Amino acid sequence: MFLSRLSNTLILFIIVLLLSVSFSFAQSNSDTFVVVLDAGHGGEDPGNRGNGYYEKDIALKIVLQVGEQLEKYENLKVIYTRKTDVFIPLHERAEIANKSKADLFVSIHCNGVANSAPSGTETFVLGLHRNEDNLKIAMKENSVIKFEDDYEIK
């Protein structure tokens, strides 16, 4: 019940955010706004595991529901990095966005908290003014690189 309520609220928030961003960009750029939706983690990389849930499953559910809503708009093209429980190497996620000439790349993750009554959302936007913070977050999130086929410890 809690997960369903949280999921629906988050999905609505993401849809409103993406639509507001896409419409402002679409007015000045091409006829079609391309959004790449990335469900974080997947396959052998479960992500956060709290309260019996796997982050990879929640992220995938949210991405699929958000994408389903966004696909209803004719000037919006939705591309998914994954639609099933598979691990997509990190570099391939970026390649998907780059090859599709995406206007926006959204990667969905669900952080764990010790609080038994969490509320709100976290949004990370990378920018040069926060390089040290960005690096710490990137190192934590990208620690899953060990699941990639060509990973080597040097």
Side-chain angles (χ1 to χ4, degrees):
M1 181 70 166
F2 167 75
L3 182 61
S4 177
R5 207 170 48 242
L6 175 66
S7 178
N8 289 337
T9 302
L10 186 57
I11 289 167
L12 180 60
F13 171 76
I14 292 168
I15 290 170
V16 169
L17 178 66
L18 290 178
L19 288 177
S20 65
V21 168
S22 68
F23 288 132
S24 65
F25 274 95
Q27 290 174 359
S28 61
N29 293 335
S30 70
D31 293 337
T32 303
F33 188 84
V34 180
V35 177
V36 173
L37 297 178
D38 174 47
H41 307 282
E44 62 269 22
D45 172 18
N48 181 39
R49 293 172 291 190
N51 299 324
Y53 298 104
Y54 286 1
E55 178 179 1
K56 67 178 184 172
D57 298 330
I58 297 169
L60 181 59
K61 179 181 176 184
I62 289 170
V63 159
L64 293 175
Q65 289 181 12
V66 167
E68 181 181 339
Q69 295 303 311
L70 293 177
E71 288 172 350
K72 294 177 182 178
Y73 294 87
E74 64 183 60
N75 293 337
L76 201 85
K77 181 177 181 182
V78 179
I79 297 172
Y80 302 86
T81 58
R82 67 181 183 100
K83 285 186 161 184
T84 61
D85 185 20
V86 296
F87 177 74
I88 306 295
L90 301 175
H91 71 277
E92 286 183 25
R93 294 169 193 250
E95 285 176 13
I96 291 168
N98 290 334
K99 284 181 182 176
S100 66
K101 298 187 187 308
D103 295 295
L104 185 64
F105 178 85
V106 179
S107 186
I108 302 296
H109 291 268
C110 312
N111 293 338
V113 295
N115 184 345
S116 62
S119 64
T121 64
E122 272 184 321
T123 303
F124 294 102
V125 178
L126 299 181
L128 296 177
H129 68 290
R130 301 283 304 262
N131 275 345
E132 187 174 335
D133 293 336
N134 293 340
L135 180 59
K136 287 178 186 174
I137 292 167
M139 288 173 65
K140 180 179 180 186
E141 286 299 325
N142 294 329
S143 66
V144 299
I145 199 166
K146 63 183 175 266
F147 293 118
E148 296 188 14
D149 292 335
D150 60 352
Y151 172 72
E152 290 181 32
I153 297 177
K154 293 184 181 187

